[in-house]
Amino acid sequence: MTRTGRKQRNISWAAVAAAAAPLFATSPVSAGGFTRGEADTDILFTEGTVSVRAGGAFVSPGRSYATLMGAPVDGDTYTDSFWMPSLAIKAKLGDSLSCALTYTEPFGASATYDDAAQLAEYLTATALGILANPTTEMSFSTREYAGTCAVRLPAGPGNFYALGGAFLQSFDYKEDTWLGAVHMKDDGEWGYRFGAAYDIPEYAMRFQLMYRSAVEHEASGTFTPSAMAAALGITTDLPANGGGKLPQSVKLSAQTGVAPGWLVYGSVMWTDWSVLPSFDYDVGGLASSHKVFNYHDGYTVQLGVGHAFTEDLSGTVNLTWDQGVGDGADITTDTWTLGIGAEYKTKVGTIGAGLAVSYLTAGSQSVANEATYDATADADWAVAAGLSYMIEF
């Protein structure tokens, strides 16, 4: 193969994916609802007999309220920073079969509400004649442990791949309120993914379609009363139970070499967020909680370009639009993200680094749309930074 062809291959899946790997938080704040990480199944297309890639991204959202109940406020951001890890291990099991074990945290959210937001929730609940129990902190996290395989079949000038596997997803929910703390868990429910891909390595060309199934969680745990609850006569822990469905998704991605050392890539993903109209839980003998979202299905679109500066150094830049899925029950708006990444091949592996900056469009929530209080948010910014390391044998 000529040097030009070799350069194009150097920035095919391996280089651009490695350069982009630290940017798996391309939309740092609630991409597609509560979307966070994505399983690194691209490692299936690396050239090594055994490939290992590990990484992590630190994400700092910047969403804050501009008004509460019609009054201007100047509070801190209520969206908490978080860390997103990723791990993938691939092995070739023959000329036509590769399998990978992956770990990621696909969905999550974390928020801390200041005194002004708590007061807004209290006043709204009191006006509506319902139990006033403002939330001070809320978070939920998921973990995905997966196995995915790719079967390669020669087809025309390239290769066809059949992709498929299963994953175990856990769920962990925590909420602190004036009356106490709720902690519920679901240690694991099974899901699956499958898809297909076609590549022509000579032109660094690949098309891939991947489906990921929905997962329904039933969580259980404990409500621990606060001092305020104890003063009202609630002095012992109570059982808590709740649940909801986290969505299915379909992602179409493509890439191709366009000139010596240059590659363009992009993707479109649909996520079925309408399956989670609310998250509900009951505290035995005390009360029920109804967290309304009323999301509609969302789309995420990314376009990017990769370039090999040398045989060892490659870089990428991409732009991502994530459609806001909120309908006024909370503030989940469109997000525009600019990401840059680079990877450097050393004698003992490949190091990747990336940065992303997101612009969050303005939005609002209202009691009329089942929000817990009226609020607006101006346009905000968020940032993310990540590192990755890959080694092949």
Side-chain angles (χ1 to χ4, degrees):
M1 180 173 288
T2 64
R3 182 177 178 83
T4 296
R6 189 154 47 88
K7 257 192 172 180
Q8 286 183 315
R9 292 191 67 183
N10 280 347
I11 60 161
S12 60
W13 276 120
V16 173
L23 297 175
F24 45 77
T26 48
S27 292
V29 179
S30 298
F34 298 117
T35 300
R36 284 191 174 178
E38 187 175 347
D40 182 9
T41 56
D42 285 344
I43 201 169
L44 288 164
F45 302 101
T46 57
E47 296 180 357
T49 301
V50 176
S51 302
V52 180
R53 180 156 55 208
F58 178 76
V59 183
S60 181
R63 180 61 92 189
S64 61
Y65 293 125
T67 67
L68 288 168
M69 302 180 68
V73 293
D74 187 20
D76 296 330
T77 60
Y78 61 84
T79 49
D80 298 331
S81 299
F82 58 92
W83 173 258
M84 288 173 39
S86 177
L87 176 65
I89 304 171
K90 182 218 74 172
K92 283 187 178 179
L93 305 179
D95 291 339
S96 301
L97 177 64
S98 294
C99 291
L101 299 176
T102 59
Y103 170 80
T104 189
E105 298 180 5
F107 305 105
S110 181
T112 300
Y113 299 100
D114 62 14
D115 291 343
Q118 294 173 45
L119 179 60
E121 185 174 355
Y122 172 81
L123 293 175
T124 301
T126 300
L128 294 174
I130 60 177
L131 176 66
N133 184 29
T135 298
T136 58
E137 296 182 36
M138 185 282 297
S139 68
F140 86 88
S141 60
T142 59
R143 296 182 177 182
E144 179 195 292
Y145 307 88
T148 309
C149 292
V151 178
R152 180 179 62 86
L153 301 171
N159 303 288
F160 173 81
Y161 296 84
L163 309 167
F167 61 86
L168 183 69
Q169 180 174 286
S170 66
F171 176 85
D172 193 328
Y173 181 86
K174 298 177 181 179
E175 183 179 4
D176 290 345
T177 70
W178 285 9
L179 293 179
V182 172
H183 185 195
M184 298 181 295
K185 297 178 65 176
D186 181 347
D187 288 333
E189 303 293 342
W190 287 99
Y192 59 91
R193 56 169 48 89
F194 65 85
Y198 183 78
D199 75 353
I200 304 177
E202 182 179 359
Y203 302 108
M205 182 182 292
R206 175 167 285 117
F207 300 92
Q208 179 176 293
L209 183 67
M210 184 73 83
Y211 169 83
R212 185 187 190 275
S213 72
V215 177
E216 186 153 10
H217 289 284
E218 294 293 336
S220 60
T222 303
F223 168 81
T224 303
S226 66
M228 179 183 292
L232 297 173
I234 306 168
T235 59
T236 60
D237 290 356
L238 297 171
N241 297 276
K245 181 182 288 187
L246 290 171
Q248 63 183 337
S249 62
V250 178
K251 184 175 182 179
L252 174 65
S253 56
Q255 66 166 64
T256 184
V258 293
W262 289 91
L263 177 142
V264 295
Y265 61 95
S267 64
V268 178
M269 184 169 71
W270 165 80
T271 307
D272 185 22
W273 277 111
S274 60
V275 301
L276 185 68
S278 63
F279 175 71
D280 307 317
Y281 67 85
D282 297 314
V283 175
L286 182 61
S288 298
S289 181
H290 188 56
K291 305 292 184 182
V292 177
F293 306 116
N294 288 339
Y295 288 156
H296 57 259
D297 295 352
Y299 291 88
T300 303
V301 180
Q302 183 180 85
L303 294 174
V305 60
H307 180 57
F309 299 102
T310 69
E311 293 293 327
D312 298 322
L313 179 64
S314 298
T316 182
V317 59
N318 57 59
L319 180 66
T320 304
W321 169 72
D322 188 83
Q323 181 188 32
V325 297
D327 282 317
D330 68 357
I331 303 176
T332 308
T333 61
D334 286 11
T335 301
W336 292 87
T337 300
L338 178 66
I340 58 172
E343 61 119 11
Y344 183 72
K345 299 177 183 177
T346 72
K347 294 180 180 179
V348 291
T350 300
I351 299 171
L355 294 170
V357 177
S358 291
Y359 175 78
L360 288 64
T361 57
S364 64
Q365 65 182 47
S366 67
V367 175
N369 289 317
E370 299 187 83
T372 51
Y373 46 86
D374 292 342
T376 66
D378 294 334
D380 289 309
W381 295 90
V383 295
L387 293 172
S388 69
Y389 176 76
M390 185 175 73
I391 188 168
E392 299 182 84
F393 304 97

